[in-house]
C-alpha cells in the first residue's frame, strides 16, 4: 500500500524538523510494512472508523478587515486535507491545486505526483480527519492550525499525526490555502 506524502519542512531546516521528519518517515514505513504483512482479502471490505470531522461554517463572519476568522480557517484546512487525501490516492495535482498555496507542501506533492499517478493505490481517497484543532495564529494573510489528523482508508490501518498546518490567504480566491505542514509534539 502506498501512503500519502509526508509533510514538507517549513522554513530553514533545523534539527527539530529533521527529527520530526525522520519520526514521520519511520511511522509511515512501519505502517506500510504492517499493512502488507497483514494483507487479508477479507480486510479489503472492512470500513475504517475515524473520528468525526470538525464541522465548521464556510459562511463564518469576518473578524477584521477582509481576513476571515478561525472557523473559516478550520473549514478551509479541512477542505485542503480532503483534497490531499484524494491526491494521495490518485496522484492528480488538480485535486490539490485549488486548496494549496504555491509553497513547500505543494512542491513536495508535485515531486511525488509522477510516482503516484504511475503506481498509486487508486480510489477510494484517504480520509484526513482533524480533531482537537486549534487556530494558534492569524496574522494578516498568514494562519496556523495545530491539530491531530487521523488518516484512514477502507481496508487499511489508520495512522495519527500531530501537525501544525500553515496557511496563506489568497485574496483572488477569497480563501485560505494550505502552505506547509510540520510535525509537532503531541499536546
Amino acid at each position: 500500500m502506498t501512503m500519502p506524502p509526508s509533510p514538507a519542512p517549513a522554513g530553514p531546516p533545523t534539527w527539530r524538523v529533521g527529527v520530526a521528519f525522520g519520526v514521520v518517515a519511520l511511522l509511515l514505513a512501519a505502517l506500510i510494512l504492517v499493512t502488507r504483512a497483514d494483507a487479508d482479502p477479507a480486510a479489503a471490505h472492512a470500513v475504517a472508523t475515524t473520528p468525526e470531522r470538525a464541522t465548521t461554517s464556510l459562511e463564518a463572519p469576518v473578524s477584521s478587515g477582509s481576513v476571515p476568522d478561525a472557523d473559516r480557517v478550520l473549514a478551509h484546512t479541512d477542505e485542503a486535507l480532503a483534497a490531499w487525501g484524494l491526491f494521495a490516492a490518485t496522484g492528480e495535482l488538480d485535486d490539490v491545486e485549488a486548496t494549496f498555496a504555491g509553497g513547500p507542501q505543494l512542491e513536495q506533492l508535485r515531486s511525488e505526483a509522477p510516482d503516484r499517478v504511475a503506481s498509486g493505490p487508486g480510489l477510494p481517497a484517504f480520509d484526513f480527519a482533524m480533531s482537537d484543532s486549534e487556530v494558534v495564529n492569524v496574522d494578516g494573510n498568514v494562519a496556523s492550525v495545530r491539530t491531530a489528523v487521523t488518516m484512514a482508508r477502507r481496508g487499511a490501518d489508520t495512522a495519527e499525526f500531530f501537525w501544525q498546518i500553515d496557511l496563506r490567504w489568497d485574496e483572488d480566491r477569497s480563501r485560505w490555502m494550505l502552505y506547509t505542514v510540520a510535525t509537532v509534539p503531541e499536546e
Side-chain angles (χ1 to χ4, degrees):
M1 177 178 143
T2 304
M3 298 306 298
S6 58
T14 65
W15 70 271
R16 289 181 187 164
V17 172
V19 169
F21 185 74
V23 168
V24 169
L26 287 173
L27 289 172
L28 288 174
L31 180 62
I32 290 169
L33 290 174
V34 167
T35 57
R36 287 187 181 183
D38 293 338
D40 177 355
H45 301 291
V47 176
T49 58
T50 60
E52 285 187 48
R53 286 185 172 275
T55 56
T56 55
S57 169
L58 292 177
E59 301 303 319
V62 174
S63 59
S64 65
S66 63
V67 179
D69 70 0
D71 288 338
R72 195 157 186 197
V73 170
L74 289 173
H76 289 173
T77 303
D78 194 47
E79 289 175 4
L81 292 177
W84 191 351
L86 188 55
F87 168 84
T90 66
E92 295 294 330
L93 286 168
D94 289 344
D95 296 335
V96 292
E97 287 179 334
T99 57
F100 277 58
Q105 199 62 52
L106 185 57
E107 289 306 311
Q108 177 73 27
L109 299 184
R110 282 185 178 135
S111 72
E112 296 174 2
D115 289 338
R116 292 205 166 276
V117 168
S119 61
L123 295 174
F126 289 85
D127 180 35
F128 285 63
M130 296 190 306
S131 61
D132 300 322
S133 303
E134 178 183 6
V135 177
V136 294
N137 179 48
V138 177
D139 185 14
N141 292 336
V142 177
S144 297
V145 174
R146 284 192 184 228
T147 186
V149 175
T150 302
M151 181 188 69
R153 179 181 154 107
R154 186 178 58 218
D157 293 335
T158 60
E160 188 165 45
F161 306 96
F162 299 93
W163 286 344
Q164 177 166 316
I165 302 171
D166 294 326
L167 303 108
R168 300 294 185 265
W169 178 250
D170 185 318
E171 193 66 45
D172 294 335
R173 296 181 185 178
S174 296
R175 67 171 295 115
W176 289 100
M177 308 284 282
L178 192 146
Y179 183 73
T180 193
V181 173
T183 302
V184 295
E186 181 179 354
E187 294 181 6

